[in-house]
Structures are given as structure tokens and as C-alpha cells.
Amino acid sequence: MASHETLRESLLEMGFEEQLINNALKLLKENATLESVIEAIDSGRASEIIDENKDDQHGSNENSEAKSDDSSTSKQLSKEELEEKRKIYSEKIKTNRLNIEEKEKEADRLREIQRRKDGKDMGKLREQLEAMQHQNYIESLKKEKQEAKAARDRVLRQIEQDKIERRAMFGSLSNQNEASKPSQPNLMISSTASKSGKTKLAIRMLDGTQLVQEFDDKEVLSAVRAYIVTQRNYSFNITFAMPPRPPFNEEDMQKSLFVLGLSPNARLQVVQR
């Protein structure tokens, strides 16, 4: 609750008479507030205290008869003055209330403007935050894609490296196997001579069947080919092979079975040329 001094200053600034203010404060004592003091002044209660003071002063200076007449006249004049003052104070109070209402409306308007401004600022801040979150999400996806691509590239490089290492290892083993193979005997010289002068050939046909036939050691390989063509009615040219050796060529066809190293027995495979 405001002090009497604070209330007095506020009411003086509003245009109220100091005597009325003091009387109202005296009347209301510790219950005095700005509204209650204005109400006391507006209702005339503060003015009645002034009237009583005037009546007391007037009665002490005149005799009893003059006191009665003058007091009545003074009291009547005081009421007229009081009524006029009440009108003035009522106008002041009305004006002050209008001013207060205008100030409150202006304050409300400013608060509304500030609220809208704060709302716009919050909207902008929210949009900025959402934009930042969206940008962070895009960057996160981009980073994940880059990491996935890098991991995939590492796997592909490792697979390729494994292939190279396997090829190198298999090539080394193949070279070692080739080096460890014994050299083939000269086909022109047979290490084993046929005692009977015959060569027994087991020939595998194109259809997978096998034909076994005995030939003279001196027969050339082309004679064996002619025999097979006659037996199978082949209409195309053929030759023979002894895997893993390459197929015999036309020059080999003119050599004897003994010279080719097919005696005393051998396995041949028919190959279409």
C-alpha cells in the first residue's frame, strides 16, 4: 500500500486541492488508497470536514444571534461553493479516468504490437531452426552415402587384390608343376620295341564309344584314320590326340605307329578337324 506522502504527490499532480487531499487522508488513515481518496473527495466527505472547520471558526468571533444568521449564510455559501468544487473535481476525475483508460489502451496496443513482433520473431527463429535441422539431415545423409561408397570401394579393391594374389599363386604352382614334369621322350625314337611287331590301339570315338584294334607297327597313322572313317562313315576330316599332348598334324599322319611311339599299345581320341 502506498504511503500518504506518495498518494499526496500523485493527487496534487492530478490537480486536486491539497486541503481536500489532507482531509481525505486524515479521514481514511491507514486504509487510504488512490481510489479511496479520490472517492472521498468526489463524494464530498473530505469537503464536509472543511465545512465543519469553517463553522467552528465563524462561531467563535460573533455573538450568538449573529452567529446563528451568519453561520446559516456562510453554511449556505459553502454548500454552493462545495457544489461547484464537486463539479470541478468530478470533471477532473472523469478526465483523469479517461486519461488512464487511454493510457491503458495505448499500453494494451503496445503490448499487442510487441506480442505480434515476438510471435514473428519466434516464427522466424522456428523457421531458421527447421532449416538448420533440414540442412544437418541432408549433410548427414550425404556423409552416410560417402562412407557407404568408400566401404564398397574398399571391398571391391580387396576382392580385386585377392584375385590378383590367387592368379599369382596359381601361376606359380603351374610353373612349378611344369618344371617338375619329366621331359617327354623323343617320339622319333621308341624306347620300347614291339616284340610281336603289332600295335594295339584303344580309340575313343566322338560319341564316347571305344574301338580296340590291332595294327602293324609299320602302318602309318593315316591308315588308322582311313580305317576309322570307313568304320564310322565320317564325312569330315578327323585326326587323333593323346591328351595332354596336342592333336597329331598331317605330317604325323605319314609316320609309322612305331615312330610315333604308339607301340606296343596306346590310347587315342578322335578329334574333328
Side-chain angles (χ1 to χ4, degrees), residues 136-150:
N136 291 337
Y137 177 70
I138 292 176
E139 292 178 356
S140 177
L141 287 180
K142 187 183 296 184
K143 184 178 180 181
E144 289 179 1
K145 289 181 179 180
Q146 291 175 349
E147 291 177 352
K149 183 178 182 300

Side-chain angles (χ1 to χ4, degrees), residues 6-60:
T6 302
L7 292 173
R8 184 180 292 105
E9 292 177 358
S10 299
L11 291 165
L12 287 173
E13 290 178 358
M14 294 171 66
F16 292 101
E17 291 185 4
E18 185 175 4
Q19 184 62 43
L20 291 174
I21 296 171
N22 292 334
N23 290 340
L25 292 173
K26 183 178 180 181
L27 177 66
L28 296 171
K29 298 181 180 180
E30 67 274 3
N31 296 323
T33 62
L34 184 63
E35 291 293 331
S36 63
V37 172
I38 293 174
E39 179 64 25
I41 295 173
D42 187 32
S43 64
R45 288 187 294 162
S47 299
E48 290 176 358
I49 297 176
I50 296 175
D51 292 340
E52 292 175 359
N53 292 335
K54 286 182 178 180
D55 290 342
D56 293 341
Q57 291 175 359
H58 188 72
S60 62

Side-chain angles (χ1 to χ4, degrees), residues 181-225:
K181 285 182 180 180
S183 58
Q184 296 292 336
N186 191 343
L187 295 179
M188 300 298 294
I189 302 174
S190 176
S191 60
T192 305
S194 175
K195 295 180 180 180
S196 62
K198 299 293 183 179
T199 299
K200 188 176 183 179
L201 298 178
I203 304 172
R204 186 178 183 83
M205 302 299 168
L206 294 174
D207 58 3
T209 60
Q210 182 172 281
L211 186 148
V212 179
Q213 184 63 35
E214 193 174 64
F215 298 92
D216 192 278
D217 288 344
K218 297 180 181 179
E219 289 285 353
V220 293
L221 188 57
S222 60
V224 179
R225 180 173 63 181

Side-chain angles (χ1 to χ4, degrees), residues 6-217:
T6 302
L7 292 173
R8 184 180 292 105
E9 292 177 358
S10 299
L11 291 165
L12 287 173
E13 290 178 358
M14 294 171 66
F16 292 101
E17 291 185 4
E18 185 175 4
Q19 184 62 43
L20 291 174
I21 296 171
N22 292 334
N23 290 340
L25 292 173
K26 183 178 180 181
L27 177 66
L28 296 171
K29 298 181 180 180
E30 67 274 3
N31 296 323
T33 62
L34 184 63
E35 291 293 331
S36 63
V37 172
I38 293 174
E39 179 64 25
I41 295 173
D42 187 32
S43 64
R45 288 187 294 162
S47 299
E48 290 176 358
I49 297 176
I50 296 175
D51 292 340
E52 292 175 359
N53 292 335
K54 286 182 178 180
D55 290 342
D56 293 341
Q57 291 175 359
H58 188 72
S60 62
N61 295 327
E62 297 182 354
N63 56 36
S64 58
E65 292 180 0
K67 183 193 304 183
S68 177
D69 294 338
D70 293 341
S71 175
S72 177
T73 303
S74 176
K75 189 174 182 180
Q76 183 66 30
L77 292 174
S78 297
K79 286 183 177 180
E80 292 175 355
E81 292 175 354
L82 178 61
E83 186 65 26
E84 184 66 23
K85 289 180 179 180
R86 283 179 179 175
K87 290 181 180 180
I88 294 172
Y89 293 148
S90 296
E91 290 296 327
K92 288 183 178 181
I93 292 172
K94 183 178 180 180
T95 302
N96 288 331
R97 286 178 177 174
L98 290 175
N99 290 335
I100 292 172
E101 290 177 359
E102 289 296 327
K103 290 180 180 179
E104 290 178 350
K105 289 180 181 179
E106 181 65 15
D108 291 340
R109 188 182 69 84
L110 293 176
R111 282 194 295 270
E112 179 63 19
I113 293 174
Q114 186 64 35
R115 186 187 66 79
R116 293 181 180 180
K117 182 180 179 182
D118 293 341
K120 290 181 180 179
D121 293 341
M122 287 298 296
K124 290 181 180 179
L125 183 61
R126 190 180 300 109
E127 290 177 359
Q128 292 176 356
L129 181 60
E130 290 176 354
M132 290 176 61
Q133 291 176 345
H134 183 66
Q135 183 65 27
N136 291 337
Y137 177 70
I138 292 176
E139 292 178 356
S140 177
L141 287 180
K142 187 183 296 184
K143 184 178 180 181
E144 289 179 1
K145 289 181 179 180
Q146 291 175 349
E147 291 177 352
K149 183 178 182 300
R152 185 169 59 254
D153 292 342
R154 286 196 300 270
V155 172
L156 293 176
R157 286 196 299 270
Q158 185 62 43
I159 292 174
E160 187 64 26
Q161 183 64 30
D162 292 343
K163 288 181 179 179
I164 294 173
E165 292 177 356
R166 283 198 299 271
R167 284 197 295 267
M169 181 179 66
F170 292 152
S172 177
L173 291 176
S174 177
N175 292 335
Q176 291 177 4
N177 292 335
E178 289 294 333
S180 62
K181 285 182 180 180
S183 58
Q184 296 292 336
N186 191 343
L187 295 179
M188 300 298 294
I189 302 174
S190 176
S191 60
T192 305
S194 175
K195 295 180 180 180
S196 62
K198 299 293 183 179
T199 299
K200 188 176 183 179
L201 298 178
I203 304 172
R204 186 178 183 83
M205 302 299 168
L206 294 174
D207 58 3
T209 60
Q210 182 172 281
L211 186 148
V212 179
Q213 184 63 35
E214 193 174 64
F215 298 92
D216 192 278
D217 288 344

